[in-house]
């Protein structure tokens, strides 16, 4: 409120207010990932450009507040550290009336709304801003193909295809390749999300299948082999792998139990040995300290010997 009052007072003192016009020829711009983008911003003013200020802000869908990318005042450029090597500032905007910038190496995180704001006192009213919506396009990443179901005649088999990255979101198409690599149409039901369902599969539908992930930038491919041998091999491999894993677990458990039992046995034998060593000296001392008992018969025998 205070700033508005000061502005009104200043305008009343000057007595004349000029208009400034900021515009861009392209409000929506698409750029491929890794390439440079030109963000055009031109302005018109009737006053000298001694008090010219230019500011570019970036607002992404993931940010809470806009981020300042560029600021110009009194012939000096201010560029944040993150954009120091990527942003090319306008050349002599005070004389060319051109505030356009160039940003290189565009990434998906750079998609959003860029706003150009120009002020040139005393041109304090008019259209001082222009916004540009930028979309960063990315070629689909190499898709992942997979087979689901029993690959046997008469069964339902589902093929899936999916790319982790791609902007705009890719669409998927399936084709079958015969032994000569000739493209053949598929007979199952396909969806744009990359799912191919083949019901009651027959030997005529076995072979190599190729998925094509496509968007406005380009395409990527993946292939998968569909054959009864491959299906049986996958099942057999899974069973054998499970059995081997179970045997390995049993061996590990047995080894741990055997090791623990062995350590306990050694500890018990060592304890018994130490106990026997400690008890032997005490037994010897006890035997030395016990007096020899003299029986009556032995005394009579000793007394009768001299008379004999």
């Amino acid at each position: 409120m205070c700033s508005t009052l000061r502005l009104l007072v200043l305008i009343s003192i000057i007595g004349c207010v000029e208009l400034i016009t900021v515009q861009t020829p392209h409000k929506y711009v698409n750029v491929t990932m890794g390439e440079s983008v030109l963000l055009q911003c031109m302005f018109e003013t009737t006053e000298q450009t001694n008090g010219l200020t230019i500011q570019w802000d970036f607002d992404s869908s993931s940010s809470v507040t806009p981020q300042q990318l560029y600021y110009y005042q009194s012939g000096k450029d201010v560029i944040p550290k993150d954009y120091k090597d990527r942003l090319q500032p306008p050349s002599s905007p005070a004389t060319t009336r051109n505030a356009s910038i160039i940003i290189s190496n565009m990434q998906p995180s750079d998609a959003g709304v860029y706003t150009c704001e120009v002020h040139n006192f005393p041109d304090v009213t008019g259209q001082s801003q222009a916004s540009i919506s930028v979309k960063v396009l990315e070629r689909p990443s190499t898709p992942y193909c997979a087979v689901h179901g029993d690959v046997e005649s008469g069964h339902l088999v589902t093929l899936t295809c999916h790319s982790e990255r791609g902007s705009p979101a890719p669409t998927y198409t399936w084709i079958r390749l015969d032994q000569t690599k000739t493209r053949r149409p598929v007979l199952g039901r396909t969806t744009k999300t990359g799912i191919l369902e083949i019901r009651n599969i027959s030997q005529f539908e076995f072979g190599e299948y190729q998925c094509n992930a496509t968007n406005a930038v380009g395409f990527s491919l993946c292939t998968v082999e569909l054959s009864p041998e491959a299906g049986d091999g996958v099942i057999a491999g899974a069973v054998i792998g499970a059995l081997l894993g179970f045997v390995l677990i049993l061996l590990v458990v047995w080894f741990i139990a055997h090791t623990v039992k062995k350590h306990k046995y050694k500890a018990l034998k060592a304890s018994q040995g130490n106990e026997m060593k400690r008890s032997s000296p005490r037994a010897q001392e006890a035997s030395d300290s016990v007096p020899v008992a003299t029986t009556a018969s032995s005394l009579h025998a000793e007394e009768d010997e001299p008379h004999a």
Side-chain angles (χ1 to χ4, degrees), residues 36-39 54-58 67-72 77-91 99-106 110 114-115:
S36 300
V37 61
L38 170 63
L39 303 179
I54 301 172
Q55 179 171 319
W56 277 93
D57 293 329
F58 169 58
Q67 177 186 3
Q68 181 176 299
L69 304 182
Y70 172 76
Y71 186 78
Y72 171 91
D77 300 319
V78 179
I79 303 175
K81 183 179 179 180
D82 294 342
Y83 289 86
K84 200 73 175 179
D85 299 327
R86 297 180 54 201
L87 190 146
Q88 179 180 332
S91 177
S100 304
I101 61 174
I102 297 176
I103 302 177
S104 61
N105 191 24
M106 293 291 288
D110 295 320
Y114 293 77
T115 301

Side-chain angles (χ1 to χ4, degrees), residues 39 63 108 119 150 211 255 284 290:
L39 303 179
S63 63
H119 295 285
D150 296 332
C211 173
F255 178 79
Q284 184 65 31
V290 174

Side-chain angles (χ1 to χ4, degrees), residues 42-59:
M42 280 73 71
F43 63 92
E44 296 178 1
T45 179
T46 58
E47 295 294 323
Q48 297 295 323
T49 54
N50 297 328
L52 178 66
T53 61
I54 301 172
Q55 179 171 319
W56 277 93
D57 293 329
F58 169 58
D59 190 6

